[in-house]
Amino acid sequence: MFEPSLSTTTRAPLSSASALSMADSLPSINFGFEELRERMARFSHRFDDFIAEGRKRVLEERNQFRMNVAELHGKQDQRMKRHAIEILSQKSSTHTQNLAKEAAETSEMYAAISSITSQRDIRSAQRDRLRAEITSVQKTISQRLDAQRQHAAYLDAQARHNVPELDFWQDYLCLRIEGAGMIDRLKFVFTHVNERDWDREAWFELCTESRDYQVMEMRPKVEKEKIGACVDRLNENRNLGMFLKGVRELFVEVMK
């Protein structure tokens, strides 16, 4: 390699004319600047391509990263949305079940209210009917009590009127009065009705339950028309003495 420093130390300085001519006479030295320039240009081009490719790759990787992040966020959003939808669906299903349960309970409550109302109406009607029946029974009882009091008063007055007369007819008709074993029924027993047997008895039972008297039983038997006529006269004139006399005459006639 050519070293300029060596040339300056070994030679003495020359004049300009001689230096120019000497330089022209020197052989040309190729340092490879063009090749170096081309190599530098190619390197710069390759470096620029490398930088551009690196930038492109970085941009692509960044864009892909952004896309991945966006997709990840999208998937996460979708999962969150699906989770939210599932939660809402579950809440909606629970709410629907609660509504159905409340509707069933409301229906049962209305049915119970309807049943209770129906029972109340039925019992109210029964109560009104029972009240009407009680009022009717009380009225009937009151009427019967009044009728019994009136009848008792009548019997009491009749008894006061008949006691002396009965005493007379008991002695006169050979009669005694007994109980017949039933309420409102008397038994009248006659003796001395048969000339062949003065101790032989003839009797009849008289029912005094109602205002009109009735002959229920009698021994010996007498024709129904005849005894019926005697009872009719008794109910018309209320003369017990004449009735007893008429019945005795019927017994005497039968026992002849």
Side-chain angles (χ1 to χ4, degrees), residues 218 221-233 250:
M218 61 188 316
K221 291 291 185 180
V222 179
E223 293 182 9
K224 186 176 181 180
E225 291 78 8
K226 292 181 179 181
I227 190 64
C230 291
V231 174
D232 291 340
R233 285 194 298 270
L250 292 175

Side-chain angles (χ1 to χ4, degrees), residues 40-80:
M40 288 298 294
R42 287 195 300 271
F43 173 78
S44 297
H45 181 69
R46 287 196 303 270
F47 182 78
D48 291 339
D49 290 340
F50 174 77
I51 295 299
E53 186 67 23
R55 288 179 179 177
K56 182 179 179 181
R57 187 170 60 253
V58 169
L59 288 175
E60 289 178 353
E61 291 177 355
R62 183 174 62 183
N63 291 333
Q64 186 65 35
F65 176 76
R66 288 178 178 178
M67 290 176 63
N68 293 336
V69 171
E71 184 178 1
L72 181 63
H73 283 298
K75 291 181 179 179
Q76 186 176 3
D77 291 340
Q78 290 180 357
R79 287 196 299 270
M80 292 179 65

Side-chain angles (χ1 to χ4, degrees), residues 34-122:
E34 293 298 331
E35 183 181 358
L36 179 63
R37 186 180 300 113
E38 290 178 1
R39 291 176 62 186
M40 288 298 294
R42 287 195 300 271
F43 173 78
S44 297
H45 181 69
R46 287 196 303 270
F47 182 78
D48 291 339
D49 290 340
F50 174 77
I51 295 299
E53 186 67 23
R55 288 179 179 177
K56 182 179 179 181
R57 187 170 60 253
V58 169
L59 288 175
E60 289 178 353
E61 291 177 355
R62 183 174 62 183
N63 291 333
Q64 186 65 35
F65 176 76
R66 288 178 178 178
M67 290 176 63
N68 293 336
V69 171
E71 184 178 1
L72 181 63
H73 283 298
K75 291 181 179 179
Q76 186 176 3
D77 291 340
Q78 290 180 357
R79 287 196 299 270
M80 292 179 65
K81 288 179 180 180
R82 283 197 299 268
H83 184 64
I85 291 173
E86 290 176 357
I87 293 175
L88 291 176
S89 298
Q90 185 176 2
K91 289 183 178 180
S92 178
S93 178
T94 303
H95 182 65
T96 303
Q97 293 177 358
N98 291 334
L99 288 177
K101 183 178 179 180
E102 290 178 359
E105 292 177 353
T106 303
S107 179
E108 292 178 357
M109 181 180 65
Y110 279 119
I113 292 173
S114 178
S115 177
I116 293 173
T117 303
S118 178
Q119 292 179 2
R120 182 199 63 188
D121 295 339
I122 292 173

